[in-house]
Amino acid sequence: MGEMEISLAEIAQRVANCQKCPLYKNTTKPVPGEGNPKAEVMFIGEAPGFNEDQQGRPFVGRAGKLLDELLSSIKVARSDVFIANVVKHRPPENREPLPTEIEACREYLDRQIEIIQPKIIVTLGRFSLEKFIPGVKISQVHGLARFVEINGRKIIILPMFHPAAALRGAGVMNMLRQDFLKIPQFLDNQEKVPLENSATKEENTKDNGSQLTLI
Ligand code: SF4
């Protein structure tokens, strides 16, 4: 089997055996991510927390409950989407992942995206946003969809606040709820979004690979 044919299960196995950065130490379980291998939407968060580390599953604590509720609000089942994080092992004391750790872990998430080929990636929080649209502020770009070329395919990136941040403040919660409501329009109207015009404009934009604001 060629490298490109590696499956999601194999990625999970590699994550389970990975020692490429120190994060695996003192963790309970790896959290490679889970969901529909043919998902149209991928949600990508930051890192596993306490509950995720205990269960080996992404977004299962309070932030996960909120994510479930938000998915219900747009009538999307959790089993329809794929949920992952930028790093696959829990950082000690839930500290932020270091750039070296994110870089060490990058291949796993990149492979998952290659396999799943989602139409939309919803970034949850600034570490996930930084991966796809570097150098922007989440407060300025949340809810604004852009095209980003990944492995030769244009994927819609829809930046959002992390659900954990929403749990800390009503203002962010409201913004996250509103931003979530934008997801179905891309799923339902995928053919109607002016992709052609967008692609043309995108080629004319030189900044940073040129993502284009769709809405
Ligand atoms: S966080 Fe990623 S790179 Fe670090 S040990 Fe875990 S799987 Fe490997």
Side-chain angles (χ1 to χ4, degrees):
M1 178 179 285
E3 276 291 289
M4 298 301 287
E5 294 163 42
I6 175 172
S7 70
L8 291 169
E10 285 171 302
I11 293 170
Q13 192 57 48
R14 288 189 188 184
V15 166
N17 295 326
C18 185
Q19 300 188 350
K20 282 171 53 183
C21 86
L23 288 182
Y24 73 94
K25 295 176 188 170
N26 303 314
T27 56
T28 312
K29 290 185 177 174
V31 186
E34 66 182 25
N36 190 327
K38 297 193 182 332
E40 279 191 323
V41 192
M42 275 183 87
F43 289 88
I44 301 178
E46 177 177 324
F50 176 82
N51 293 291
E52 290 76 20
D53 176 67
Q54 291 290 310
Q55 297 185 35
R57 301 183 56 211
F59 284 90
V60 291
R62 281 183 70 219
K65 292 278 176 295
L66 174 56
L67 182 60
D68 289 344
E69 187 198 313
L70 291 164
L71 284 168
S72 299
S73 77
I74 56 167
K75 300 187 167 47
V76 171
R78 190 172 168 123
S79 57
D80 287 339
V81 303
F82 195 94
I83 304 174
N85 285 303
V86 170
V87 296
K88 311 297 195 185
H89 281 99
R90 182 195 181 202
E93 311 299 326
N94 291 347
R95 69 157 167 75
E96 294 177 349
L98 301 172
T100 49
E101 293 160 351
I102 293 171
E103 179 57 27
C105 210
R106 188 161 63 90
E107 67 166 277
Y108 302 117
L109 181 55
D110 286 349
R111 286 291 176 86
Q112 288 171 323
I113 295 167
E114 255 176 63
I115 292 169
I116 295 165
Q117 303 204 349
K119 285 182 180 169
I120 308 174
I121 292 175
V122 176
T123 62
L124 299 172
R126 64 191 172 89
F127 289 92
S128 177
L129 173 61
E130 180 70 16
K131 174 180 175 66
F132 298 100
I133 311 176
V136 297
K137 284 204 164 75
I138 195 164
S139 55
Q140 290 170 350
V141 302
H142 72 90
L144 301 174
R146 301 175 181 206
F147 282 114
V148 169
E149 191 165 318
I150 301 172
N151 306 320
R153 288 179 66 244
K154 289 193 172 69
I155 297 183
I156 294 169
I157 304 294
L158 186 51
M160 296 196 193
F161 287 102
H162 196 286
L167 290 168
R168 291 192 291 266
V172 173
M173 179 70 86
N174 286 335
M175 289 187 275
L176 180 58
R177 287 189 189 285
Q178 291 304 314
D179 291 345
F180 234 80
L181 299 177
K182 296 180 178 177
I183 296 173
Q185 78 187 74
F186 294 111
L187 295 177
D188 298 338
N189 301 330
Q190 190 67 20
E191 306 310 323
K192 297 175 196 157
V193 171
L195 292 173
E196 290 307 316
N197 291 344
S198 304
T200 308
K201 284 185 207 157
E202 181 179 348
E203 269 140 36
N204 295 334
T205 313
K206 294 290 179 222
D207 71 33
N208 197 21
S210 61
Q211 297 89 15
L212 173 89
T213 301
L214 290 173
I215 50 178

